[in-house]
Amino acid sequence: MTEQAPEPYQPVDEGWRTAVAIVAHPDDMEYGGASAVARWTAQGKQVVYVMVTSGEAGIDSMDPERCGPLREAEQRASARVVGVETVEFLGHPDGVVEYGLPLRRDIARVVRRHRPDIVITSNFRETYGGTFLNQADHIAVGRATLDGVRDAGNRWVFRELLDEGHQPWNGVRQIWAAASPEARHAVDTTDTFDLGVASLEEHKAYLAGLGGAMADAREFLEGFGRGAGTRLGTRFAVPFEVFPLG
């Protein structure tokens, strides 16, 4: 019996001006999403990065007090490669991020401050498809992002944000979860693939500590990008699970 080929991806809607990417760690955007960001900033779109943690628990051989500032610096350098100038860190503890009201409030505050058209997060499903398990921080942040974006539009949720001067924002049109196994859309990153590789390579200390297949930026991203590109009809692509709002 012949296995049925997966359905082709549909192109994402690129008729927007501003986006905020909310992810758990430094490097989360670079493992697949940065080449898409490079495409969008080249189109004149504005993208802001928000990291819920500083990734301080990400290098086994390095004490978190030293690791966190180093990873923040690597993330800022990585973001500049793809045209992102604003990078923020929310200060939640790496490795033990909890879904809950404090995280939802912080995300709602971010959305109200930046007032984006699109919010990007990472895969929050239990796996990446098959048996490769997702991380708890990714799951918590992605799910809190779905709720925090909606909270941002309701003035009676987290009323203290009004006291801080953050008015409600209902202008988010869609939330996109990158690299989700439930993705049905994708963006062509053929022309910006090399920028995505260069962006990931800025995480020098993290990659050195990581080792293994994921430490080879080009090889890893080629495998990731080609698979998605096949389903979009391009050489390289980044897949997204799309959640329309409104």
Side-chain angles (χ1 to χ4, degrees), residues 85-100:
E85 296 299 328
T86 301
V87 181
E88 300 174 357
F89 300 89
L90 299 185
H92 288 250
D94 184 19
V96 290
V97 176
E98 292 184 295
Y99 173 91

Side-chain angles (χ1 to χ4, degrees), residues 5-206:
E7 292 184 8
Y9 286 134
Q10 298 299 312
V12 298
D13 177 8
E14 295 184 286
W16 51 272
R17 296 183 303 104
T18 61
V20 172
I22 305 171
V23 296
H25 314 108
D27 81 79
D28 283 351
M29 284 302 296
E30 285 66 54
Y31 274 106
S35 56
V37 173
R39 170 186 171 100
W40 296 324
T41 58
Q43 294 171 348
K45 295 175 169 58
Q46 179 182 1
V47 182
V48 169
Y49 281 4
V50 177
M51 279 65 207
V52 169
T53 81
S54 295
E56 67 275 9
I59 302 177
D60 184 68
S61 62
M62 190 176 296
D63 186 271
E65 282 68 33
R66 180 183 167 213
C67 184
L70 174 60
R71 296 205 65 198
E72 288 186 6
E74 289 189 338
Q75 180 60 71
R76 291 189 180 98
S78 174
R80 285 194 293 270
V81 171
V82 295
V84 174
E85 296 299 328
T86 301
V87 181
E88 300 174 357
F89 300 89
L90 299 185
H92 288 250
D94 184 19
V96 290
V97 176
E98 292 184 295
Y99 173 91
L101 296 180
L103 181 56
R104 281 173 50 188
R105 182 188 299 111
D106 284 351
I107 290 171
R109 182 184 290 109
V110 164
V111 172
R112 290 190 185 192
R113 280 197 297 109
H114 291 291
R115 310 179 88 75
D117 302 317
I118 299 292
V119 170
I120 300 163
T121 191
S122 56
N123 173 34
F124 56 85
R125 302 299 182 179
E126 291 184 354
T127 73
Y128 285 90
T131 60
F132 190 78
L133 289 173
N134 200 353
Q135 294 183 28
D137 284 1
H138 298 164
I139 295 170
V141 170
R143 290 176 175 169
T145 297
L146 289 183
D147 292 330
V149 168
R150 288 175 293 188
D151 296 335
N154 188 334
R155 71 174 56 252
W156 306 123
V157 176
F158 303 129
R159 300 183 195 181
E160 60 271 34
L161 297 181
L162 295 174
D163 296 334
E164 296 173 13
H166 303 304
Q167 293 299 313
W169 177 245
N170 279 305
V172 177
R173 291 161 42 189
Q174 296 181 341
I175 303 171
W176 296 351
S180 169
E182 300 298 323
R184 298 293 181 269
H185 295 76
V187 59
D188 179 5
T189 57
T190 301
D191 293 339
T192 53
F193 175 79
D194 287 340
L195 286 171
V197 172
S199 184
L200 178 53
E201 288 176 340
E202 288 293 333
H203 293 273
K204 296 179 177 66
Y206 179 69

Side-chain angles (χ1 to χ4, degrees), residues 198-237:
S199 184
L200 178 53
E201 288 176 340
E202 288 293 333
H203 293 273
K204 296 179 177 66
Y206 179 69
L207 294 178
L210 187 64
M214 290 186 69
D216 187 326
R218 182 168 294 276
E219 182 176 346
F220 180 87
L221 293 179
E222 280 183 351
F224 174 83
R226 281 203 182 104
T230 298
R231 292 178 61 180
L232 187 65
T234 63
R235 186 180 177 197
F236 295 115

